[in-house]
């Protein structure tokens, strides 16, 4: 259409006859043996899985004198709301097979390769221009079908074609993130040391894996990053990535980090309450020593030059932790409940082949 208004009027003329199929919206139910198959050629709706198993987790939980904490964590889907939705403008010159593709994205070199590969063009004949992106947060680092369709339409029609998503279109097509159900447990000694950590992560990613960066990556990050700041000798984590009838999910800012930190530090808060230990003190007893690097995390991630003990000491000094605790107790006696929460984290800065 020559304008958005004309296109929207034309859409009203289209009548689609749908044959509804069973919908898979719950990732746990989608894994049931009798669940409908989203893809008939596969024997289940399981897209990908991985297990990390370090030490002797079962023995650690079975030993006497440990306290076991269990919790289910549910993380709801969300998406980024960029200042400007995604946009693409494609120009094709048939005389010499050249495509110029303007788009509001983060990965022009990736797009150059993908457009050339899938549209049958030489890579040097594809120019991708990414100027004013309009915000992203990871939303615009992926390859979307509407962008490829824009380029294909320009080649077929031999004239420039533009696509600009409105806010509603962005909500139902931009990738979502953080859709995880985590069953987790932690064993701690009476002295507050983490004896073992184990969890099962199920995440629903939509009907396909996002191309080309894969929708398995967030679950993989959760396995690698959970408990990363702490000395944990016995660690078991299992992630399952599930096909379902929802919008596609993939990498979004801080991929997997919020889930990983919430699981371990949430259980650590429960552990502190269970054994009557201050939440800061239990962290100090488990954080990796500042002079113990280079070393590896429980999942095998290589770490260097971190300073968690120095950081928590500085934080508690700046916040006047003892005074806040006293104020919290006083207010609680007056019926006012305020929480003080802590989280220790490791942020991935150099992903490496491990990821």
């Amino acid at each position: 259409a020559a304008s958005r208004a004309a296109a929207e009027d034309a859409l009203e003329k289209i009548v689609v006859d749908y044959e509804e199929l069973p919908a898979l919206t719950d990732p746990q139910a989608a894994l049931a043996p009798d669940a409908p198959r989203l893809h008939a050629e596969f024997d289940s709706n399981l897209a990908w899985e991985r297990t990390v198993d370090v030490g002797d987790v079962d023995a650690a939980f079975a030993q006497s004198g440990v306290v076991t904490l269990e919790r289910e964590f549910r993380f709801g889907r969300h998406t980024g709301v960029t200042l400007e939705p995604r946009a693409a403008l494609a120009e094709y010159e048939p005389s010499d097979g050249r495509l110029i593709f303007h788009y509001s994205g983060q990965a022009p070199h990736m797009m150059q390769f993908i457009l050339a590969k899938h549209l049958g063009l030489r890579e040097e004949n594809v120019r991708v221009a990414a100027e004013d992106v309009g915000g992203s947060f990871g939303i615009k680092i992926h390859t979307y079908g509407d962008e490829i369709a824009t380029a294909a339409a320009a080649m077929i029609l031999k004239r420039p074609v533009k696509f600009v998503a409105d806010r509603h279109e962005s909500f139902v097509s931009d990738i979502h993130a953080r859709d995880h159900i985590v069953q987790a447990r932690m064993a701690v000694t009476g002295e507050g040391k983490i004896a073992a950590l184990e969890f099962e992560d199920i995440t629903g990613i939509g009907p396909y894996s996002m191309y080309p960066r894969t929708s398995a990556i967030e679950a993989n990050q959760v396995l690698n990053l959970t408990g990363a700041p702490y000395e944990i000798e016995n660690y078991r984590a299992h992630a399952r990535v599930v096909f379902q009838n929802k919008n596609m999910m993939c990498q979004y800012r801080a991929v997997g980090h919020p889930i990983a930190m919430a699981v371990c530090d949430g259980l650590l808060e429960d552990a502190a309450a269970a054994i009557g230990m201050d939440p800061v003190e239990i962290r100090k007893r488990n954080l990796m020593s500042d002079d113990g690097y280079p070393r590896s995390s429980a999942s095998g991630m290589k770490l260097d030059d971190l300073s968690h003990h120095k950081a928590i000491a500085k934080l508690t000094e700046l916040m006047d932790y003892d005074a806040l605790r006293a104020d919290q107790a006083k207010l609680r006696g007056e019926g006012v409940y305020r929480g003080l929460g802590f989280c220790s984290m490791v942020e991935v800065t150099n992903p490496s082949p491990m990821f």
Side-chain angles (χ1 to χ4, degrees), residues 18-58:
Y18 289 105
E19 179 187 349
E20 287 195 23
L21 299 173
L24 298 168
T25 57
D26 183 330
Q28 291 174 310
L31 288 174
D34 58 348
R37 300 286 182 267
L38 202 148
H39 299 286
E41 65 270 29
F42 298 150
D43 59 5
S44 77
N45 295 310
L46 180 66
W48 181 85
E49 69 177 329
R50 178 188 170 209
T51 299
V52 176
D53 198 345
V54 178
D56 193 337
V57 172
D58 294 332

mmCIF file of all heavy atoms in Angstrom, residues 18-58:
data_model
loop_
_atom_site.group_PDB
_atom_site.id
_atom_site.type_symbol
_atom_site.label_atom_id
_atom_site.label_comp_id
_atom_site.label_asym_id
_atom_site.label_seq_id
_atom_site.Cartn_x
_atom_site.Cartn_y
_atom_site.Cartn_z
ATOM 1 N N TYR A 18 -10.013 -19.746 9.765
ATOM 2 C CA TYR A 18 -9.062 -20.449 10.629
ATOM 3 C C TYR A 18 -9.612 -21.807 11.071
ATOM 4 O O TYR A 18 -10.806 -21.943 11.370
ATOM 5 C CB TYR A 18 -8.779 -19.638 11.899
ATOM 6 C CG TYR A 18 -7.961 -18.384 11.688
ATOM 7 C CD1 TYR A 18 -8.561 -17.128 11.724
ATOM 8 C CD2 TYR A 18 -6.589 -18.458 11.479
ATOM 9 C CE1 TYR A 18 -7.820 -15.972 11.543
ATOM 10 C CE2 TYR A 18 -5.836 -17.316 11.296
ATOM 11 C CZ TYR A 18 -6.458 -16.071 11.329
ATOM 12 O OH TYR A 18 -5.709 -14.939 11.156
ATOM 13 N N GLU A 19 -8.741 -22.782 11.103
ATOM 14 C CA GLU A 19 -9.063 -24.060 11.739
ATOM 15 C C GLU A 19 -8.265 -24.109 13.038
ATOM 16 O O GLU A 19 -7.043 -24.260 13.014
ATOM 17 C CB GLU A 19 -8.677 -25.236 10.838
ATOM 18 C CG GLU A 19 -8.971 -26.585 11.489
ATOM 19 C CD GLU A 19 -8.419 -27.754 10.662
ATOM 20 O OE1 GLU A 19 -7.999 -27.527 9.514
ATOM 21 O OE2 GLU A 19 -8.397 -28.875 11.198
ATOM 22 N N GLU A 20 -8.937 -23.941 14.145
ATOM 23 C CA GLU A 20 -8.238 -23.847 15.417
ATOM 24 C C GLU A 20 -7.668 -25.207 15.830
ATOM 25 O O GLU A 20 -8.329 -26.238 15.727
ATOM 26 C CB GLU A 20 -9.180 -23.335 16.512
ATOM 27 C CG GLU A 20 -9.501 -21.860 16.367
ATOM 28 C CD GLU A 20 -10.125 -21.281 17.633
ATOM 29 O OE1 GLU A 20 -9.909 -21.862 18.721
ATOM 30 O OE2 GLU A 20 -10.829 -20.268 17.523
ATOM 31 N N LEU A 21 -6.436 -25.167 16.316
ATOM 32 C CA LEU A 21 -5.764 -26.345 16.860
ATOM 33 C C LEU A 21 -5.593 -26.149 18.360
ATOM 34 O O LEU A 21 -5.694 -25.028 18.858
ATOM 35 C CB LEU A 21 -4.397 -26.518 16.190
ATOM 36 C CG LEU A 21 -4.415 -26.732 14.679
ATOM 37 C CD1 LEU A 21 -2.995 -26.727 14.129
ATOM 38 C CD2 LEU A 21 -5.117 -28.036 14.339
ATOM 39 N N PRO A 22 -5.327 -27.232 19.099
ATOM 40 C CA PRO A 22 -5.124 -27.076 20.550
ATOM 41 C C PRO A 22 -3.958 -26.125 20.826
ATOM 42 O O PRO A 22 -2.913 -26.203 20.176
ATOM 43 C CB PRO A 22 -4.794 -28.498 21.023
ATOM 44 C CG PRO A 22 -5.368 -29.393 19.971
ATOM 45 C CD PRO A 22 -5.247 -28.641 18.686
ATOM 46 N N ALA A 23 -4.142 -25.225 21.770
ATOM 47 C CA ALA A 23 -3.111 -24.234 22.087
ATOM 48 C C ALA A 23 -2.242 -24.705 23.248
ATOM 49 O O ALA A 23 -2.741 -25.217 24.245
ATOM 50 C CB ALA A 23 -3.766 -22.900 22.438
ATOM 51 N N LEU A 24 -0.943 -24.533 23.080
ATOM 52 C CA LEU A 24 0.012 -24.859 24.144
ATOM 53 C C LEU A 24 0.488 -23.543 24.755
ATOM 54 O O LEU A 24 1.277 -22.820 24.152
ATOM 55 C CB LEU A 24 1.212 -25.623 23.563
ATOM 56 C CG LEU A 24 0.915 -26.972 22.922
ATOM 57 C CD1 LEU A 24 2.125 -27.470 22.145
ATOM 58 C CD2 LEU A 24 0.524 -27.994 23.987
ATOM 59 N N THR A 25 -0.026 -23.220 25.933
ATOM 60 C CA THR A 25 0.355 -21.962 26.584
ATOM 61 C C THR A 25 1.138 -22.172 27.869
ATOM 62 O O THR A 25 1.834 -21.267 28.319
ATOM 63 C CB THR A 25 -0.893 -21.117 26.885
ATOM 64 O OG1 THR A 25 -1.788 -21.881 27.706
ATOM 65 C CG2 THR A 25 -1.599 -20.718 25.590
ATOM 66 N N ASP A 26 1.019 -23.343 28.470
ATOM 67 C CA ASP A 26 1.729 -23.650 29.717
ATOM 68 C C ASP A 26 2.937 -24.527 29.380
ATOM 69 O O ASP A 26 2.778 -25.645 28.892
ATOM 70 C CB ASP A 26 0.795 -24.396 30.674
ATOM 71 C CG ASP A 26 1.430 -24.699 32.015
ATOM 72 O OD1 ASP A 26 2.670 -24.872 32.069
ATOM 73 O OD2 ASP A 26 0.710 -24.780 33.020
ATOM 74 N N PRO A 27 4.170 -24.060 29.625
ATOM 75 C CA PRO A 27 5.343 -24.867 29.243
ATOM 76 C C PRO A 27 5.443 -26.188 29.985
ATOM 77 O O PRO A 27 5.945 -27.160 29.437
ATOM 78 C CB PRO A 27 6.523 -23.946 29.562
ATOM 79 C CG PRO A 27 6.003 -22.956 30.539
ATOM 80 C CD PRO A 27 4.560 -22.764 30.209
ATOM 81 N N GLN A 28 4.967 -26.234 31.219
ATOM 82 C CA GLN A 28 4.988 -27.499 31.953
ATOM 83 C C GLN A 28 4.017 -28.495 31.331
ATOM 84 O O GLN A 28 4.355 -29.664 31.121
ATOM 85 C CB GLN A 28 4.657 -27.259 33.423
ATOM 86 C CG GLN A 28 5.735 -26.499 34.187
ATOM 87 C CD GLN A 28 5.329 -26.148 35.604
ATOM 88 O OE1 GLN A 28 4.260 -25.600 35.836
ATOM 89 N NE2 GLN A 28 6.184 -26.449 36.569
ATOM 90 N N ALA A 29 2.804 -28.041 31.025
ATOM 91 C CA ALA A 29 1.815 -28.923 30.387
ATOM 92 C C ALA A 29 2.267 -29.340 28.997
ATOM 93 O O ALA A 29 1.969 -30.459 28.540
ATOM 94 C CB ALA A 29 0.461 -28.224 30.325
ATOM 95 N N ALA A 30 3.015 -28.488 28.308
ATOM 96 C CA ALA A 30 3.480 -28.806 26.956
ATOM 97 C C ALA A 30 4.465 -29.967 26.945
ATOM 98 O O ALA A 30 4.675 -30.598 25.903
ATOM 99 C CB ALA A 30 4.115 -27.579 26.319
ATOM 100 N N LEU A 31 5.078 -30.261 28.094
ATOM 101 C CA LEU A 31 6.033 -31.362 28.178
ATOM 102 C C LEU A 31 5.377 -32.694 28.521
ATOM 103 O O LEU A 31 6.050 -33.727 28.519
ATOM 104 C CB LEU A 31 7.111 -31.046 29.229
ATOM 105 C CG LEU A 31 8.123 -29.965 28.834
ATOM 106 C CD1 LEU A 31 9.029 -29.641 30.009
ATOM 107 C CD2 LEU A 31 8.955 -30.403 27.639
ATOM 108 N N ALA A 32 4.097 -32.684 28.825
ATOM 109 C CA ALA A 32 3.402 -33.931 29.159
ATOM 110 C C ALA A 32 3.429 -34.882 27.961
ATOM 111 O O ALA A 32 3.339 -34.448 26.810
ATOM 112 C CB ALA A 32 1.964 -33.639 29.575
ATOM 113 N N PRO A 33 3.561 -36.197 28.214
ATOM 114 C CA PRO A 33 3.644 -37.159 27.099
ATOM 115 C C PRO A 33 2.460 -37.098 26.146
ATOM 116 O O PRO A 33 2.598 -37.355 24.949
ATOM 117 C CB PRO A 33 3.711 -38.523 27.813
ATOM 118 C CG PRO A 33 4.234 -38.207 29.185
ATOM 119 C CD PRO A 33 3.699 -36.854 29.533
ATOM 120 N N ASP A 34 1.259 -36.762 26.665
ATOM 121 C CA ASP A 34 0.066 -36.738 25.819
ATOM 122 C C ASP A 34 -0.260 -35.342 25.300
ATOM 123 O O ASP A 34 -1.331 -35.114 24.733
ATOM 124 C CB ASP A 34 -1.129 -37.294 26.589
ATOM 125 C CG ASP A 34 -1.413 -36.512 27.873
ATOM 126 O OD1 ASP A 34 -0.552 -35.705 28.275
ATOM 127 O OD2 ASP A 34 -2.485 -36.728 28.472
ATOM 128 N N ALA A 35 0.655 -34.384 25.473
ATOM 129 C CA ALA A 35 0.402 -33.018 24.999
ATOM 130 C C ALA A 35 0.415 -32.981 23.475
ATOM 131 O O ALA A 35 1.178 -33.720 22.834
ATOM 132 C CB ALA A 35 1.460 -32.069 25.549
ATOM 133 N N PRO A 36 -0.429 -32.140 22.857
ATOM 134 C CA PRO A 36 -0.374 -32.006 21.391
ATOM 135 C C PRO A 36 1.015 -31.557 20.948
ATOM 136 O O PRO A 36 1.690 -30.812 21.653
ATOM 137 C CB PRO A 36 -1.411 -30.915 21.101
ATOM 138 C CG PRO A 36 -2.247 -30.814 22.332
ATOM 139 C CD PRO A 36 -1.407 -31.236 23.478
ATOM 140 N N ARG A 37 1.460 -32.043 19.805
ATOM 141 C CA ARG A 37 2.765 -31.658 19.279
ATOM 142 C C ARG A 37 2.625 -30.357 18.477
ATOM 143 O O ARG A 37 1.838 -30.290 17.535
ATOM 144 C CB ARG A 37 3.335 -32.752 18.380
ATOM 145 C CG ARG A 37 3.544 -34.083 19.069
ATOM 146 C CD ARG A 37 4.745 -34.056 20.006
ATOM 147 N NE ARG A 37 4.923 -35.369 20.611
ATOM 148 C CZ ARG A 37 4.406 -35.728 21.791
ATOM 149 N NH1 ARG A 37 3.688 -34.858 22.475
ATOM 150 N NH2 ARG A 37 4.605 -36.936 22.273
ATOM 151 N N LEU A 38 3.392 -29.352 18.851
ATOM 152 C CA LEU A 38 3.345 -28.115 18.086
ATOM 153 C C LEU A 38 3.941 -28.330 16.702
ATOM 154 O O LEU A 38 3.477 -27.764 15.719
ATOM 155 C CB LEU A 38 4.093 -27.018 18.850
ATOM 156 C CG LEU A 38 3.720 -25.581 18.479
ATOM 157 C CD1 LEU A 38 3.842 -24.670 19.686
ATOM 158 C CD2 LEU A 38 4.575 -25.068 17.347
ATOM 159 N N HIS A 39 4.982 -29.160 16.630
ATOM 160 C CA HIS A 39 5.589 -29.538 15.351
ATOM 161 C C HIS A 39 5.438 -31.048 15.190
ATOM 162 O O HIS A 39 6.061 -31.818 15.924
ATOM 163 C CB HIS A 39 7.060 -29.136 15.308
ATOM 164 C CG HIS A 39 7.271 -27.657 15.452
ATOM 165 N ND1 HIS A 39 6.993 -26.757 14.448
ATOM 166 C CD2 HIS A 39 7.723 -26.919 16.496
ATOM 167 C CE1 HIS A 39 7.265 -25.536 14.850
ATOM 168 N NE2 HIS A 39 7.708 -25.598 16.091
ATOM 169 N N ALA A 40 4.633 -31.458 14.247
ATOM 170 C CA ALA A 40 4.300 -32.874 14.101
ATOM 171 C C ALA A 40 5.515 -33.741 13.818
ATOM 172 O O ALA A 40 5.534 -34.928 14.138
ATOM 173 C CB ALA A 40 3.263 -33.043 12.978
ATOM 174 N N GLU A 41 6.569 -33.151 13.230
ATOM 175 C CA GLU A 41 7.748 -33.949 12.890
ATOM 176 C C GLU A 41 8.638 -34.253 14.091
ATOM 177 O O GLU A 41 9.573 -35.047 13.984
ATOM 178 C CB GLU A 41 8.574 -33.231 11.806
ATOM 179 C CG GLU A 41 9.188 -31.908 12.230
ATOM 180 C CD GLU A 41 8.293 -30.718 11.967
ATOM 181 O OE1 GLU A 41 7.052 -30.888 11.989
ATOM 182 O OE2 GLU A 41 8.831 -29.615 11.745
ATOM 183 N N PHE A 42 8.360 -33.645 15.247
ATOM 184 C CA PHE A 42 9.155 -33.907 16.451
ATOM 185 C C PHE A 42 8.386 -34.823 17.388
ATOM 186 O O PHE A 42 7.161 -34.881 17.362
ATOM 187 C CB PHE A 42 9.487 -32.597 17.175
ATOM 188 C CG PHE A 42 10.321 -31.640 16.365
ATOM 189 C CD1 PHE A 42 10.215 -30.275 16.551
ATOM 190 C CD2 PHE A 42 11.215 -32.101 15.406
ATOM 191 C CE1 PHE A 42 10.977 -29.382 15.813
ATOM 192 C CE2 PHE A 42 11.983 -31.227 14.663
ATOM 193 C CZ PHE A 42 11.864 -29.863 14.863
ATOM 194 N N ASP A 43 9.128 -35.537 18.245
ATOM 195 C CA ASP A 43 8.459 -36.477 19.147
ATOM 196 C C ASP A 43 8.040 -35.833 20.468
ATOM 197 O O ASP A 43 7.454 -36.488 21.323
ATOM 198 C CB ASP A 43 9.351 -37.695 19.414
ATOM 199 C CG ASP A 43 10.694 -37.315 20.024
ATOM 200 O OD1 ASP A 43 10.894 -36.125 20.329
ATOM 201 O OD2 ASP A 43 11.535 -38.217 20.195
ATOM 202 N N SER A 44 8.350 -34.544 20.670
ATOM 203 C CA SER A 44 7.904 -33.833 21.870
ATOM 204 C C SER A 44 8.001 -32.334 21.598
ATOM 205 O O SER A 44 8.442 -31.909 20.527
ATOM 206 C CB SER A 44 8.773 -34.198 23.073
ATOM 207 O OG SER A 44 10.023 -33.535 23.029
ATOM 208 N N ASN A 45 7.591 -31.539 22.588
ATOM 209 C CA ASN A 45 7.690 -30.085 22.469
ATOM 210 C C ASN A 45 8.967 -29.544 23.124
ATOM 211 O O ASN A 45 9.101 -28.334 23.298
ATOM 212 C CB ASN A 45 6.462 -29.426 23.111
ATOM 213 C CG ASN A 45 5.184 -29.762 22.367
ATOM 214 O OD1 ASN A 45 5.107 -29.617 21.144
ATOM 215 N ND2 ASN A 45 4.186 -30.253 23.087
ATOM 216 N N LEU A 46 9.875 -30.441 23.460
ATOM 217 C CA LEU A 46 11.143 -30.029 24.037
ATOM 218 C C LEU A 46 12.076 -29.541 22.932
ATOM 219 O O LEU A 46 12.414 -30.282 22.014
ATOM 220 C CB LEU A 46 11.791 -31.199 24.785
ATOM 221 C CG LEU A 46 13.139 -30.914 25.458
ATOM 222 C CD1 LEU A 46 12.982 -29.910 26.587
ATOM 223 C CD2 LEU A 46 13.751 -32.222 25.978
ATOM 224 N N ALA A 47 12.489 -28.262 23.024
ATOM 225 C CA ALA A 47 13.359 -27.697 21.998
ATOM 226 C C ALA A 47 14.830 -27.922 22.306
ATOM 227 O O ALA A 47 15.638 -28.139 21.401
ATOM 228 C CB ALA A 47 13.083 -26.192 21.865
ATOM 229 N N TRP A 48 15.203 -27.857 23.592
ATOM 230 C CA TRP A 48 16.617 -27.937 23.977
ATOM 231 C C TRP A 48 16.687 -28.182 25.475
ATOM 232 O O TRP A 48 15.806 -27.762 26.226
ATOM 233 C CB TRP A 48 17.309 -26.614 23.628
ATOM 234 C CG TRP A 48 18.782 -26.529 23.924
ATOM 235 C CD1 TRP A 48 19.801 -26.950 23.132
ATOM 236 C CD2 TRP A 48 19.404 -25.948 25.086
ATOM 237 N NE1 TRP A 48 21.015 -26.666 23.726
ATOM 238 C CE2 TRP A 48 20.800 -26.055 24.917
ATOM 239 C CE3 TRP A 48 18.904 -25.350 26.242
ATOM 240 C CZ2 TRP A 48 21.708 -25.585 25.879
ATOM 241 C CZ3 TRP A 48 19.799 -24.885 27.202
ATOM 242 C CH2 TRP A 48 21.185 -25.006 27.010
ATOM 243 N N GLU A 49 17.718 -28.881 25.923
ATOM 244 C CA GLU A 49 17.928 -29.034 27.357
ATOM 245 C C GLU A 49 19.410 -29.196 27.656
ATOM 246 O O GLU A 49 20.204 -29.583 26.802
ATOM 247 C CB GLU A 49 17.138 -30.218 27.928
ATOM 248 C CG GLU A 49 17.602 -31.582 27.506
ATOM 249 C CD GLU A 49 16.803 -32.699 28.187
ATOM 250 O OE1 GLU A 49 16.347 -32.513 29.325
ATOM 251 O OE2 GLU A 49 16.646 -33.760 27.547
ATOM 252 N N ARG A 50 19.778 -28.873 28.888
ATOM 253 C CA ARG A 50 21.162 -28.989 29.323
ATOM 254 C C ARG A 50 21.182 -29.230 30.822
ATOM 255 O O ARG A 50 20.323 -28.736 31.565
ATOM 256 C CB ARG A 50 21.931 -27.707 28.998
ATOM 257 C CG ARG A 50 23.390 -27.737 29.461
ATOM 258 C CD ARG A 50 24.064 -26.377 29.307
ATOM 259 N NE ARG A 50 25.359 -26.376 29.979
ATOM 260 C CZ ARG A 50 25.924 -25.302 30.503
ATOM 261 N NH1 ARG A 50 25.321 -24.124 30.441
ATOM 262 N NH2 ARG A 50 27.099 -25.373 31.099
ATOM 263 N N THR A 51 22.162 -29.992 31.273
ATOM 264 C CA THR A 51 22.346 -30.246 32.701
ATOM 265 C C THR A 51 23.772 -29.903 33.097
ATOM 266 O O THR A 51 24.719 -30.241 32.391
ATOM 267 C CB THR A 51 22.075 -31.730 33.046
ATOM 268 O OG1 THR A 51 20.724 -32.049 32.703
ATOM 269 C CG2 THR A 51 22.284 -31.982 34.532
ATOM 270 N N VAL A 52 23.909 -29.209 34.218
ATOM 271 C CA VAL A 52 25.210 -28.979 34.849
ATOM 272 C C VAL A 52 25.189 -29.741 36.173
ATOM 273 O O VAL A 52 24.273 -29.573 36.971
ATOM 274 C CB VAL A 52 25.461 -27.480 35.107
ATOM 275 C CG1 VAL A 52 26.783 -27.278 35.843
ATOM 276 C CG2 VAL A 52 25.454 -26.698 33.810
ATOM 277 N N ASP A 53 26.153 -30.601 36.411
ATOM 278 C CA ASP A 53 26.175 -31.422 37.627
ATOM 279 C C ASP A 53 27.602 -31.475 38.156
ATOM 280 O O ASP A 53 28.474 -32.107 37.569
ATOM 281 C CB ASP A 53 25.655 -32.825 37.314
ATOM 282 C CG ASP A 53 25.240 -33.591 38.573
ATOM 283 O OD1 ASP A 53 25.611 -33.158 39.686
ATOM 284 O OD2 ASP A 53 24.548 -34.614 38.443
ATOM 285 N N VAL A 54 27.843 -30.779 39.261
ATOM 286 C CA VAL A 54 29.180 -30.655 39.834
ATOM 287 C C VAL A 54 29.165 -31.139 41.275
ATOM 288 O O VAL A 54 28.252 -30.807 42.037
ATOM 289 C CB VAL A 54 29.665 -29.180 39.779
ATOM 290 C CG1 VAL A 54 31.035 -29.041 40.417
ATOM 291 C CG2 VAL A 54 29.684 -28.679 38.343
ATOM 292 N N GLY A 55 30.156 -31.921 41.672
ATOM 293 C CA GLY A 55 30.240 -32.418 43.041
ATOM 294 C C GLY A 55 29.286 -33.574 43.272
ATOM 295 O O GLY A 55 28.915 -34.298 42.339
ATOM 296 N N ASP A 56 28.842 -33.746 44.529
ATOM 297 C CA ASP A 56 27.896 -34.804 44.893
ATOM 298 C C ASP A 56 26.706 -34.157 45.573
ATOM 299 O O ASP A 56 26.648 -34.023 46.796
ATOM 300 C CB ASP A 56 28.566 -35.818 45.818
ATOM 301 C CG ASP A 56 27.735 -37.091 45.968
ATOM 302 O OD1 ASP A 56 26.506 -37.029 45.742
ATOM 303 O OD2 ASP A 56 28.313 -38.148 46.308
ATOM 304 N N VAL A 57 25.759 -33.707 44.781
ATOM 305 C CA VAL A 57 24.621 -32.951 45.282
ATOM 306 C C VAL A 57 23.757 -33.790 46.211
ATOM 307 O O VAL A 57 23.339 -33.337 47.283
ATOM 308 C CB VAL A 57 23.790 -32.399 44.101
ATOM 309 C CG1 VAL A 57 22.494 -31.766 44.597
ATOM 310 C CG2 VAL A 57 24.608 -31.394 43.316
ATOM 311 N N ASP A 58 23.476 -35.040 45.820
ATOM 312 C CA ASP A 58 22.606 -35.891 46.636
ATOM 313 C C ASP A 58 23.201 -36.135 48.023
ATOM 314 O O ASP A 58 22.488 -36.067 49.034
ATOM 315 C CB ASP A 58 22.368 -37.227 45.928
ATOM 316 C CG ASP A 58 21.579 -37.059 44.635
ATOM 317 O OD1 ASP A 58 20.786 -36.093 44.552
ATOM 318 O OD2 ASP A 58 21.761 -37.873 43.718
#
